[in-house]
Amino acid sequence: MLAYLLGLSALATVILLVFRHLRKVYTGPSAPGPLLAKWSDLWLVCKVYRGSFETWNIGQHASAGKVIRVGPNKYSIDDPGAIKQIYGFHNAFKKTTWYSTAADPKVGPNDNLFSVQDRQIHAAMRKRQAGFYAMSSIKSYEPSVEECVTALVKQFDALCTSRLTFDLQVWLQCYAFDAIGQMTFGHRHGFIDGGGQDIEGMMGFIWNVQSFSTLLGLTFPWGLPFLLLKYGVPTAGVTAFVGRLRDRAQAKSFDATSEDVDDNKPMTFFQKTVRAEQADPEASYKYRVSVVNQQNMMAGSDTTSIALTSVIYNCINHPNVWKKLKDELRMAAESEKISSPISFEETQRLPYLQQVLKEGIRIHPSVGLPLWREVPEGGANIADKSFPAGTWVGINPWVAHRNKSVFGEDAASFNPDRWDPTCTPKHKLDEMEAYSIAFGAGTRVCIGRHIAHLEMSKLIPELVRRYDFELIHPETELETENNFFVKQKHLEARIYAHENPF
Ligand code: HEM
């Protein structure tokens, strides 16, 4: 009898699952896309696993239009008009369960700012962290970044002398990693000083964590055993590493409660979180304030290094841009408008530098998958199609940035002049700005974007003033891997010092 009942309930469960699946397949709007994708998520999983989803995604939208079906209830969107609706500040759609795999499973989806889905909890969390990352705090982090620029220049000088070749992306990640470490914990991990080495395999760990959670977010729960076999438990390494950094920072005996602590003096992220915890331990725990430190390590190294690499790589391939940048900086130096090292404030007054940075981030956004959001109760009409509640929709920054109706026929080319207000009318600049989503958009826009700007604005001018770069294999196409971050690979280069740095 028991066996009969168990069999019956197993059958009922299977029927229910099949029914739920068919409902997804038939209630979603029809849209072009691979046939298999309509029936199973397996197609998307395999496509993402292969590591070049953004290329396929761009091609599909270019040939088949604004809406592409990539799973039974998943759609990739390319429509500037949909940005506000999906991501905007008023009633933006919430993040999908895909993000919960970026959380500590012991805590659940509300573990960190990136993973949290509930909009109210997110708003409360973000409010508590916003000050740490605000533009007004940037000045206080500048000395930390400057130290890392100096350390990198020292290493690059040595590479000029030795004439050795090096991997551009790896060195720029060393810089990004050390800079965020110094801002967060008050000391460099030592990636730069260690000669461009992946200390304790951290870069590899972080990359694996991202691959793991990207694929798990699409396959949970059935994919878990396969992913554990392939990657092990990748978070363990990162947590241990961050723990060691935290202990070292703690050992500096910072008493956050001390009356002598001056809020107007520069503090690291770590010190700020300790101070917040001591002031209100309950709220700090509830809103995960101390997770900020680990969050910085996870979110702030691959992303910024990809953007930096894009700028340098594209400048190497466009010597006219490199020259124009040099001219701008040389003139500014000669007329004493910039100091050495350059200050963040000064970099904001160099229009061509800002155009080049913006274009570098546009042409190669660090994130290369759709930023998934869930259609809310009542459904939604997007790009002239009706989507039922619960459908996943998302815009991929790579797709958005290749949209020719927004960025012009040369959308796939690196052209910093497109951001020049004397060449492009204001309404067009606004249109491009609104569809530039390298840092995401709306309520969930990257909280670390000013930090990234600080790191980029401080480093690029110092490189332009001192060096020229050369690719060892200029004829080969840029190799990349997309696991959510689209990282450049095997970018072998050589560096030459200017005779007269300015
Ligand atoms: C060029 C560098 C960077 C790029 C291109 C970038 C890109 C992004 C994108 C696209 C998102 C939105 C993801 C989504 O909606 O699905 C995001 C969110 C986030 N980023 Fe960044 N990021 C960069 C640097 C940083 C840095 C340096 C930090 C930390 C110091 C950081 C911390 C975060 C956090 C915590 C979130 C979640 C924000 C929220 O949901 O409220 N990012 N980033």
Side-chain angles (χ1 to χ4, degrees), residues 114-142:
F114 181 75
S115 65
V116 59
Q117 290 144 48
D118 184 283
R119 285 184 305 172
Q120 266 145 19
I121 300 179
H122 171 260
M125 253 187 196
R126 184 140 179 157
K127 203 167 136 196
R128 279 185 163 71
Q129 299 183 12
F132 302 172
Y133 298 91
M135 204 54 179
S136 50
S137 291
I138 290 297
K139 195 102 197 91
S140 74
Y141 302 123
E142 192 167 348

Side-chain angles (χ1 to χ4, degrees), residues 87 95 98-99 112-116 122 126 129 133 180 184 269 295-297 299-305 307-308 361 365-367 370-373 397 437-441 443-449 451-453 455-456 484-485:
Y87 303 103
K95 278 189 171 181
W98 181 82
Y99 289 88
N112 62 66
L113 197 63
F114 181 75
S115 65
V116 59
H122 171 260
R126 184 140 179 157
Q129 299 183 12
Y133 298 91
I180 195 66
T184 305
F269 277 92
Q295 185 175 279
N296 283 0
M297 298 302 126
S301 86
D302 277 322
T303 46
T304 311
S305 69
L308 280 165
I361 292 172
S366 306
V367 166
L371 306 173
W372 296 118
R373 299 295 188 267
I437 56 167
F439 289 103
T443 49
R444 306 301 297 255
V445 73
C446 176
I447 200 168
R449 63 197 187 285
I451 301 283
H453 270 131
E455 289 177 47
M456 296 178 73
F484 180 59
F485 300 132

Side-chain angles (χ1 to χ4, degrees), residues 102-407:
D104 179 344
K106 292 196 287 300
V107 180
N110 297 342
D111 174 48
N112 62 66
L113 197 63
F114 181 75
S115 65
V116 59
Q117 290 144 48
D118 184 283
R119 285 184 305 172
Q120 266 145 19
I121 300 179
H122 171 260
M125 253 187 196
R126 184 140 179 157
K127 203 167 136 196
R128 279 185 163 71
Q129 299 183 12
F132 302 172
Y133 298 91
M135 204 54 179
S136 50
S137 291
I138 290 297
K139 195 102 197 91
S140 74
Y141 302 123
E142 192 167 348
S144 293
V145 175
E146 204 155 288
E147 272 189 46
C148 295
V149 173
T150 309
L152 187 69
V153 163
K154 196 171 154 205
Q155 294 285 1
F156 275 6
D157 281 347
L159 282 169
C160 290
T161 313
S162 69
R163 286 280 187 268
L164 287 173
T165 65
F166 63 97
D167 189 317
L168 189 59
Q169 199 287 326
V170 171
W171 268 104
L172 293 175
Q173 185 159 4
C174 289
Y175 164 76
F177 222 137
D178 273 345
I180 195 66
Q182 181 121 14
M183 283 183 264
T184 305
F185 294 106
H187 50 81
R188 286 202 289 284
H189 310 311
F191 289 94
I192 303 174
D193 310 79
Q197 296 300 314
D198 182 3
I199 295 174
E200 296 175 44
M202 267 318 289
M203 292 181 194
F205 264 135
I206 289 190
W207 185 255
N208 283 350
V209 170
Q210 189 56 54
S211 305
F212 185 97
S213 59
T214 291
L215 293 168
L216 188 61
L218 297 174
T219 60
F220 188 79
W222 60 266
L224 186 58
F226 300 102
L227 293 169
L228 283 172
L229 270 179
K230 177 153 174 62
Y231 298 104
V233 185
T235 42
V238 179
T239 311
F241 183 80
V242 174
R244 281 195 291 282
L245 296 175
R246 194 186 303 119
D247 291 348
R248 204 173 136 189
Q250 205 108 46
K252 286 188 182 165
S253 67
F254 168 71
D255 179 5
T257 53
S258 159
E259 301 256 306
D260 300 337
V261 173
D262 181 351
D263 279 328
N264 298 316
K265 282 211 178 124
M267 269 195 260
T268 61
F269 277 92
F270 176 75
Q271 290 173 328
K272 286 178 185 173
T273 58
V274 174
R275 196 156 164 73
E277 262 169 37
Q278 291 179 344
D280 188 348
E282 212 176 302
S284 274
Y285 181 76
K286 186 169 171 199
Y287 298 114
R288 313 289 297 150
V289 171
S290 65
V291 176
V292 160
N293 301 309
Q294 178 147 346
Q295 185 175 279
N296 283 0
M297 298 302 126
M298 297 298 296
S301 86
D302 277 322
T303 46
T304 311
S305 69
I306 292 168
L308 280 165
T309 307
S310 171
V311 171
I312 299 287
Y313 171 78
N314 282 293
C315 283
I316 298 175
N317 284 331
H318 294 81
N320 56 327
V321 173
W322 193 244
K323 181 179 176 309
K324 205 167 157 184
L325 203 48
K326 258 191 209 166
D327 290 346
E328 180 180 66
L329 281 157
R330 186 181 284 112
M331 270 169 65
E334 281 167 7
S335 53
E336 294 178 5
K337 287 192 178 133
I338 57 173
S339 26
S340 184
I342 197 164
S343 75
F344 180 63
E345 212 177 327
E346 289 162 352
T347 64
Q348 301 309 295
R349 293 195 290 266
L350 295 170
Y352 194 64
L353 170 70
Q354 293 307 324
Q355 284 170 220
V356 171
L357 298 185
K358 207 179 232 190
E359 183 67 352
I361 292 172
R362 184 196 73 83
I363 197 78
H364 187 125
S366 306
V367 166
L369 295 181
L371 306 173
W372 296 118
R373 299 295 188 267
E374 192 179 303
V375 173
E377 280 307 314
N381 200 286
I382 303 166
D384 303 325
K385 288 195 191 287
S386 291
F387 293 87
T391 312
W392 288 22
V393 291
I395 303 180
N396 184 337
W398 279 76
V399 169
H401 296 186
R402 291 290 192 280
N403 185 308
K404 289 186 182 169
S405 72
V406 176
F407 294 99

Side-chain angles (χ1 to χ4, degrees), residues 415-459:
N415 173 17
D417 286 337
R418 76 176 76 249
W419 298 105
D420 182 348
T422 61
C423 303
T424 309
K426 166 98 174 64
H427 71 89
K428 194 70 199 162
L429 284 174
D430 290 345
E431 196 190 345
M432 295 196 299
E433 200 74 67
Y435 211 38
S436 290
I437 56 167
F439 289 103
T443 49
R444 306 301 297 255
V445 73
C446 176
I447 200 168
R449 63 197 187 285
H450 303 313
I451 301 283
H453 270 131
L454 171 69
E455 289 177 47
M456 296 178 73
S457 301
K458 292 282 287 179
L459 180 65

